[in-house]
Amino acid sequence: MQKIANFNQHELDRFKDVQALAYESVQAVEKQLTEGMTEKEAAQLIKEYLDERGVDSYLHKPFAWFGDRTAFTGFWSDFHFFPTNRKLEKGMPVILDVAPTVGGYTADIGYALSFGQSNPVLEQIQNTLLDIREYILKATLAEKTFQKIYFDVDEMISDAGFRNAHQVYPRRVLGHRVTKTHQSLYDNVSIFGFSSRQLQWLVPGIVKGLFRQRSPLWNDLRESDHPPLPGTWAIEPHLASQDGQTGAKWEEILVITEETAYWLDDNVPHVTQAKSSALQTVAA
């Protein structure tokens, strides 16, 4: 089989399957959300769904953010990312995020919704996020540097009247590499909710980035001042309203090869839902 970004097509299909399972889990939990449910309870439902379907370990265990926490309002340490006892109320924005591993293949996804009623601000953010998705692929194909793409996305966010929330993530990441690992009992050991095996790979990569070597992170720092690197990248633009009450994101795998780039799957929820809405608008 032809190698694509260090993986053959069969291996890429495995990544795709895990990504689809991850999205399946959050959409299943979306249907189970009820008023008064806490972030911790929603995150546990995601984990139970995935554990029952053969997930071996996690790059990171499930996150759930409700209300203004979707905008990362008041986040000043990494511990603020973990699910809390914040209770769900009607009309709240919600973000569900998880990174499962099956058979050594990892996917990292994010999913945004409004609970119980429509949220016009959230819808506007999601429309901007789709524009960003289109731009990231176009700019990657044009071989702009990772850093330049990050800056351009920042400008798109500002022009749309929102603010960049992904700069709150560790190392300000817009994206990061996802890789295949060899399974062992070590995979089930986690540190603060993150897989110890994946951290063993990721942390040295961060150190390399500090010394301008190739980093597994995509951000606006000098470590990303280089053309697109071949590989499988989990991209996660995250936007917030200026008042800090509403946030939304998506996260999915971008495949970059020596010759081209493409989204691993165009049938992810944020894309299919947008297409469905467009068809309904035309029909009306």
Side-chain angles (χ1 to χ4, degrees):
M1 295 182 182
Q2 181 186 7
K3 284 285 185 177
I4 302 176
N6 300 320
F7 299 109
N8 61 41
Q9 188 59 54
H10 172 72
E11 291 172 316
L12 287 174
D13 288 342
R14 294 291 304 278
F15 278 111
K16 186 175 179 179
D17 290 343
V18 180
Q19 179 171 275
L21 175 62
Y23 267 118
E24 179 185 305
S25 74
V26 294
Q27 289 190 296
V29 170
E30 176 183 12
K31 297 175 183 177
Q32 300 177 63
L33 295 176
T34 58
E35 281 196 80
M37 179 180 286
T38 67
E39 292 178 342
K40 289 181 179 179
E41 290 169 336
Q44 182 61 28
L45 286 174
I46 298 171
K47 186 174 186 301
E48 290 173 359
Y49 186 97
L50 291 169
D51 287 348
E52 290 172 0
R53 287 160 178 79
V55 166
D56 306 313
S57 60
Y58 296 84
L59 169 58
H60 69 72
K61 292 180 179 178
F63 294 126
W65 302 306
F66 297 165
D68 64 355
R69 282 176 48 78
T70 62
F72 290 172
T73 298
F75 283 33
W76 52 266
S77 81
D78 292 347
F79 292 101
H80 285 97
F81 293 106
F82 296 103
T84 69
N85 288 317
R86 170 69 65 86
K87 292 184 178 181
L88 186 59
E89 299 174 12
K90 188 174 182 180
M92 272 187 172
V94 174
I95 294 177
L96 305 175
D97 190 311
V98 65
T101 298
V102 180
Y105 295 88
T106 296
D108 196 349
I109 65 95
Y111 181 66
L113 63 111
S114 178
F115 174 69
Q117 65 186 41
S118 62
N119 183 324
V121 175
L122 180 65
E123 291 172 3
Q124 292 170 16
I125 293 175
Q126 289 174 317
N127 288 335
T128 301
L129 281 167
L130 289 174
D131 291 339
I132 289 171
R133 183 181 190 269
E134 181 179 352
Y135 173 74
I136 287 174
L137 177 57
K138 180 180 178 181
T140 301
L141 289 167
E143 298 187 349
K144 293 188 177 183
T145 68
F146 277 176
Q147 186 185 56
K148 179 63 166 65
I149 295 172
Y150 192 113
F151 290 149
D152 289 348
V153 168
D154 262 357
E155 187 173 349
M156 292 177 69
I157 294 170
S158 179
D159 288 347
F162 304 114
R163 60 180 177 83
N164 172 343
H166 49 261
Q167 65 185 348
V168 180
Y169 289 118
R171 297 295 292 173
R172 304 173 59 86
V173 294
L174 173 64
H176 59 86
R177 285 285 298 273
V178 287
T179 63
K180 179 186 175 185
T181 61
H182 296 289
Q183 289 178 268
S184 75
L185 293 176
Y186 186 42
D187 291 325
N188 295 318
V189 178
S190 64
I191 301 173
F192 299 120
F194 288 82
S195 161
S196 55
R197 177 183 289 278
Q198 293 280 5
L199 285 176
Q200 184 183 36
W201 163 78
L202 189 61
V203 172
I206 295 172
V207 173
K208 288 181 180 179
L210 297 176
F211 293 94
R212 302 205 70 176
Q213 298 182 44
R214 297 308 190 191
S215 169
L217 307 180
W218 180 337
N219 53 32
D220 59 346
L221 307 176
R222 67 177 188 173
E223 67 198 56
S224 289
D225 187 15
H226 56 71
L229 295 178
T232 41
W233 293 83
I235 311 301
E236 52 182 329
H238 188 155
L239 280 59
S241 59
Q242 293 292 350
D243 63 5
Q245 297 303 302
T246 303
K249 68 175 288 187
W250 49 257
E251 186 171 8
E252 60 173 306
I253 294 176
L254 177 69
V255 179
I256 302 177
T257 78
E258 295 287 355
E259 296 82 23
T260 189
Y262 55 91
W263 295 108
L264 181 61
D265 189 355
D266 277 322
N267 290 315
V268 288
H270 44 281
V271 174
T272 57
Q273 289 170 1
K275 289 179 179 177
S276 176
S277 295
L279 289 173
Q280 291 174 8
T281 301
V282 170

